[in-house]
Amino acid sequence: DGGITQSPKYLFRKEGQNVTLSCEQNLNHDAMYWYRQDPGQGLRLIYYSQIVNDFQKGDIAEGYSVSREKKESFPLTVTSAQKNPTAFYLCASSPGQGAMTGELFFGEGSRLTVL
Amino acid sequence: GDSVTQMEGPVTLSEEAFLTINCTYTATGYPSLFWYVQYPGEGLQLLLKATKADDKGSNKGFEATYRKETTSFHLEKGSVQVSDSAVYFCALSEPYMGRRALTFGSGTRLQVQP
């Protein structure tokens, strides 16, 4: 079945450690996105990528890094510089014009907890 | 910059009650507007959309009308069911302003009791 796969679903990290969240899609979509979801704050955009080898910062990019080496993959690294990394992270993808049609397809999310 | 404001939840209703979830927006130009729904333990799904003023989006009994004069896009349903319990997000997009991603509101949790 076509869709977006995020892994792991749950992740625990000690302070000072970097962690990478995986996002893979087999929908042949050009664009991919990372959002962070916190209670009462909705979804905030971390990074997005419209094409391979290109990405743009969103509203809260500090302490995060991404890569887009393949069309299917858009991993997110939460670095030790992120001051409050405990959150629910959602990956999404869309066809090239997805930002206009609003048709983003979301994964089931990864919940990161810093101990 | 662009922003979306939603009514705070949770909204608790009895089955078959009428639902309204308010959404207002701030944008530079003429955004497209969307409602997404997130069921427990899942990612978000597009519920409905409207791309220009006075358009009405509808799906699964839900409706929302794009009101430019009041910068609003309120979500309504005439008779809610227990299965509608979820978190609802209002969102907008202005890709021609250089930001090719959606801006989301804070979400409104709906709880429908039998």
Side-chain angles (χ1 to χ4, degrees):
Chain A
D1 286 353
I4 298 180
T5 301
Q6 290 188 240
S7 63
K9 193 166 185 176
Y10 299 95
L11 186 61
F12 297 88
R13 185 193 97 175
K14 293 182 180 179
E15 281 192 26
Q17 289 181 334
N18 292 356
V19 61
T20 297
L21 307 180
S22 170
C23 179
E24 303 278 333
Q25 54 100 358
N26 60 4
L27 300 168
N28 199 33
H29 285 169
D30 291 314
M32 296 188 75
Y33 312 82
W34 275 105
Y35 285 90
R36 170 178 169 146
Q37 185 176 13
D38 295 283
Q41 296 193 55
L43 275 67
R44 293 182 289 169
L45 182 67
I46 304 173
Y47 270 98
Y48 65 105
S49 168
Q50 295 293 304
I51 57 172
V52 175
N53 292 323
D54 188 38
F55 48 82
Q56 288 77 40
K57 292 182 178 180
D59 300 317
I60 56 166
E62 184 175 353
Y64 300 97
S65 65
V66 293
S67 63
R68 188 83 188 278
E69 297 176 0
K70 298 186 300 182
K71 187 175 185 178
E72 306 80 28
S73 179
F74 191 42
L76 173 73
T77 296
V78 185
T79 75
S80 57
Q82 169 51 234
K83 299 304 180 187
N84 186 21
T86 294
F88 190 55
Y89 292 88
L90 284 163
C91 179
S93 72
S94 71
Q97 298 301 313
M100 296 190 70
T101 66
E103 293 181 274
L104 269 61
F105 294 79
F106 281 84
E108 294 189 344
S110 293
R111 185 168 298 280
L112 172 63
T113 302
V114 175
L115 303 174
Chain B
D2 295 349
S3 65
V4 177
T5 302
Q6 293 182 232
M7 61 187 291
E8 288 192 22
V11 174
T12 302
L13 296 174
S14 297
E15 207 164 21
E16 300 184 2
F18 185 86
L19 168 70
T20 300
I21 299 178
N22 291 338
C23 171
T24 58
Y25 68 88
T26 302
T28 305
Y30 305 93
S32 295
L33 301 173
F34 313 94
W35 276 100
Y36 274 78
V37 59
Q38 183 179 33
Y39 298 104
E42 298 183 11
L44 279 69
Q45 305 171 25
L46 179 63
L47 180 61
L48 55 83
K49 66 181 182 182
T51 58
K52 60 182 188 294
D54 299 325
D55 269 2
K56 176 185 284 188
S58 61
N59 186 26
K60 299 181 180 180
F62 291 90
E63 294 183 340
T65 301
Y66 188 164
R67 302 287 189 197
K68 190 175 188 306
E69 64 276 13
T70 55
T71 62
S72 65
F73 192 54
H74 305 322
L75 182 68
E76 297 181 335
K77 187 175 185 183
S79 176
V80 294
Q81 305 300 313
V82 172
S83 57
D84 294 325
S85 298
V87 181
Y88 293 82
F89 292 90
C90 187
L92 68 79
S93 171
E94 279 196 294
Y96 47 85
M97 298 300 291
R99 176 186 165 102
R100 295 188 174 272
L102 269 61
T103 298
F104 286 86
S106 58
T108 302
R109 181 175 300 278
L110 170 65
Q111 299 173 337
V112 181
Q113 299 176 336

